[in-house]
Amino acid sequence: MVDLIWATRGRSWGFRFLLFGGYSDPLSAYERAFAGIEDDVEVSRRAEERVALRFLDPLNRVDAAGRIIPHDFVVWGPLADDIHSVEDGIQKVWPLVVDVYARVWMNEKAPVAKEIQSAIDTA
Amino acid sequence: MAPKVKEQNIAVFGESGSGKTVLLSSFYGATQEPSFLSSNLYQVLADDTSQGLRLHANYLKMSKAAQVPPTNRFDAVPYSFTIRPKDGDGAAAAPSSSFGALRLVWHDYPGQWFEQDPSSDEVSRRRVETFTKLLKSDVALVLVDGQKLLDYAGEEEKYFRMMLGGLRVGLEKLKDDILADGKPLEEFPRIWILALSKADLHPELDVQGFKDLLVEKAAGDIVMLQQTLKGFVQAPEALSLGEDFMLLSSAKFEPGKIEVTERVGLDLILPVATMLPLERVAQWAEKVDMPLRMLGGLVDHANEFAVVLTGAAGTLLTKVLSKVPKVGPVLAPLAVPALAELIKSGGAKLEEIHAQALANRDYLTATLTQFRLDLDRGVKDRLLVKSPW
């Protein structure tokens, strides 16, 4: 289990949580982490031992309206210790999800979070 | 003492990426331009300063950095604006009005809420709460995405079916949650306007062409959506969908540049939100055999607006109306026919009332008559099709 909340969208499917970070509902933890920086295009901010991290898709993949897809994460635990910038986040966090995202982003229907978690746990 | 405010709600429905947040940002941002106040009789103030700053920042980022506003992810936000007629300089209140300003509440929400089930229970709860509020609006705009229309050129019916069907299915899925006690709603958008967003991508289409395209390719889907809407509302005979159409363009988008001054139809949003429901109430009162009280809050709006709109005319009816002590259903049988008469009498009469209100520095009446005249201008400019009387 990785200490990670991940919210993103696909080309056709809209924003949703793909990793819950062990929460039954990660929304309030996500909103606490991004409070006040909701509109930032890219961000890395540490608060209360957690890092709110957002970066644009490193492969410039876009949604159906042509907007580059952002990836939002809340990171804590040992993984968070090494993240001090957006670039750090891309280096440390993106490799964890890059393969599974490549498999699902073009799907017509949104992926199931449990399957995403399972794919990452077994990778 | 602060003026009493009359609230109107507008619901904007559109898929993710159809331009809802851009439209809202462009609408508000344009009203904050220094030139706006000098050329209009009213100002638009955000009731929540931080919301106003956020929208204005969106607008400026579009204009200066060609950056589109961020999308809503998991939250819906009601934006509330007060439309206050100019004051100072000896401005006078409308003589018979029971309000002095308008409030427009515009709900912005993630477009995908109709397209997929939420990934979280809390998002699911917010979705129901948002649409329960949203569906108490007077007017709904359904955005037809101009970019998707281009993508489906030659087979537009596929896009229309997907878009209108998605809205219909989304509403059906939420129906049990929204109609918590199973009873149809009294307060519900009774006017559903089909609006082409990103209209700048279709310079060859005027609003009549847009209407023709929809009717030709999607009449059946519109009828099906209409049937669904009727299942939500009391007195469903007073409901219009497929009668009103408009063109909207928040800006001209070019590679690396967003020209926010090239807007289409945005100055019709306030007139549409405030005046179209009144006009329609007056129509329904004449056409449909039902008690006016069945139209819920729309009748209250009609009452109070009618008093303001006819107030400057100095007619015998105005005097009668101004003597009726209670605004509400008691007034409706007098006010609604007065409103109907005013609207039917056409632009010349309205121009006269407008000019008189300006001369009297009664900027509330002047603003409302201007809004009503703007609807006629929208029709003339082929940006708006509204149901004929």
Side-chain angles (χ1 to χ4, degrees), chain B residues 150-213:
Chain B
L150 273 186
D151 297 343
Y152 282 84
E155 44 183 13
E156 291 88 352
E157 62 281 2
K158 287 185 182 171
Y159 167 57
F160 291 148
R161 177 150 303 155
M162 223 159 46
M163 190 276 291
L164 294 167
L167 179 58
R168 180 172 54 78
V169 171
L171 286 167
E172 290 285 2
K173 277 186 181 173
L174 291 166
K175 191 173 180 181
D176 288 344
D177 290 313
I178 289 170
L179 305 185
D181 57 4
K183 275 175 58 183
L185 303 169
E186 188 182 84
E187 305 282 345
F188 184 78
R190 290 180 182 272
I191 301 167
W192 290 71
I193 302 169
L194 294 162
L196 177 64
S197 71
K198 308 175 191 173
D200 55 299
L201 298 175
H202 297 269
E204 78 291 356
L205 268 188
D206 64 10
V207 72
Q208 189 61 44
F210 170 58
K211 175 186 173 183
D212 289 350
L213 185 65

Side-chain angles (χ1 to χ4, degrees), chain A residues 34 43-44 51-55 71-73 75 83 85-86 89 93:
Chain A
F34 280 93
V43 68
S44 165
V51 176
L53 175 69
R54 173 179 296 151
F55 51 81
H71 298 278
D72 294 359
F73 300 89
V75 192
I83 300 174
S85 66
V86 171
V93 176

Side-chain angles (χ1 to χ4, degrees), chain B residues 19-29 55 79 81 106 108 250:
Chain B
K20 294 187 298 302
T21 307
V22 173
L23 186 67
L24 172 61
S25 303
S26 194
F27 161 79
Y28 179 72
L55 291 178
Y79 289 87
F81 309 105
W106 182 323
D108 199 28
S250 305

